Amino acid sequence: RKEVEQDPGPFNVPEGATVAFNCTYSNSASQSFFWYRQDCRKEPKLLMSVYSSGNEDGRFTAQLNRASQYISLLIRDSKLSDSATYLCVSRGGTGGFKTIFGAGTRLFVKA
Amino acid sequence: GAGVSQTPSNKVTEKGKYVELRCDPISGHTALYWYRQSLGQGPEFLIYFQGTGAADDSGLPNDRFFAVRPEGSVSTLKIQRTERGDSAVYLCASSGLGLAGANTGELFFGEGSRLTVL
């Protein structure tokens, strides 16, 4: 079983739609969680950190449920420029900073 | 430059050859990570360094893979007796993790080294 699992998609949505991505992690000792964005043939870049209390950054909202070992990302009012692969990331456990990426969820936003 | 630099950007080699991939992290970053990414997959963890030492090398697939960071800055990923299955993009990332005052511990990636084994 992979340490971080995501639905690979692709998700095809029209502009303006709301889309949600889910992710589960298997290492209960993981301490920090993130969403990264990766554009085609580019390197991953941090989108946002994920906190237990939930956090929002503009049109993006991230949630963490430690009891269920579940992480989510909600994108409201999708833009064409949101088309990318979204990578779920967990870090830590046993005091280290090992950082594990999921396989990614592909999003296509269409006009 | 200010970002993570990886060389070479592209490497084509023959099966059985030895390859070295280099990563020059952001100045002052103590943590350095190596990942391997195949088409349609996420970055696969290989190893990470905290300073000069390998803090976790559990992702190295076998003993043909080895990485060093002798002075706590530049790192080299070494692959012996390359196989066709080693073909992938090798990504390096650095972070201020572990530094006093470090914020989120964001990983900053280089553009990767694309390895093709014929």
Side-chain angles (χ1 to χ4, degrees):
Chain A
R1 180 184 174 190
K2 291 186 177 180
E3 199 163 327
V4 177
E5 299 216 50
Q6 299 180 245
D7 178 350
F11 285 64
N12 293 288
V13 302
E15 269 188 297
T18 295
V19 61
F21 304 141
N22 303 317
C23 165
T24 58
Y25 62 95
S26 61
N27 184 357
S28 59
S30 295
Q31 296 170 349
S32 304
F33 305 90
F34 309 89
W35 284 99
Y36 277 69
R37 170 188 168 134
Q38 186 171 26
D39 293 301
C40 190
R41 301 182 78 85
K42 297 288 189 180
E43 70 275 19
K45 293 185 179 178
L46 178 67
L47 177 66
M48 60 195 302
S49 302
V50 187
Y51 304 117
S52 297
S53 54
N55 50 301
E56 189 173 308
D57 183 1
R59 298 181 292 108
F60 299 84
T61 301
Q63 292 275 358
L64 165 65
N65 183 322
R66 286 190 183 272
S68 303
Q69 295 183 199
Y70 172 92
I71 302 159
S72 65
L73 177 67
L74 183 77
I75 305 175
R76 292 181 299 279
D77 188 24
S78 299
K79 310 292 185 191
L80 295 175
S81 58
D82 293 335
S83 297
T85 297
Y86 291 84
L87 299 162
C88 179
V89 182
S90 74
R91 185 178 76 204
T94 62
F97 295 127
K98 181 180 179 181
T99 305
I100 302 297
F101 285 72
T105 300
R106 297 194 72 185
L107 172 66
F108 295 99
V109 181
K110 299 181 177 181
Chain B
V4 177
S5 175
Q6 290 189 245
T7 55
S9 54
N10 277 287
K11 176 70 177 179
V12 180
T13 191
E14 294 179 344
K15 181 174 179 290
K17 298 291 188 183
Y18 171 78
V19 166
E20 287 191 353
L21 306 175
R22 174 188 166 109
C23 174
D24 198 342
I26 292 171
S27 178
H29 277 186
T30 57
L32 184 148
Y33 295 74
W34 283 102
Y35 293 87
R36 176 170 71 173
Q37 187 170 28
S38 300
L39 194 62
Q41 299 297 312
E44 174 194 3
F45 173 82
L46 297 178
I47 184 172
Y48 92 92
F49 292 85
Q50 193 67 258
T52 60
D56 191 319
D57 65 357
S58 60
L60 294 176
N62 51 59
D63 62 6
R64 296 187 297 105
F65 288 75
F66 190 70
V68 295
R69 195 186 185 198
E71 297 177 356
S73 179
V74 170
S75 176
T76 304
L77 179 65
K78 307 180 180 193
I79 310 174
Q80 296 178 322
R81 305 183 304 280
T82 51
E83 299 178 356
R84 292 193 180 89
D86 298 337
S87 296
V89 175
Y90 289 80
L91 292 166
C92 175
S94 72
S95 173
L97 278 167
L99 289 173
N103 45 26
T104 64
E106 176 179 356
L107 265 59
F108 295 87
F109 282 85
E111 294 185 344
S113 292
R114 181 176 299 276
L115 175 65
T116 303
V117 182
L118 300 177

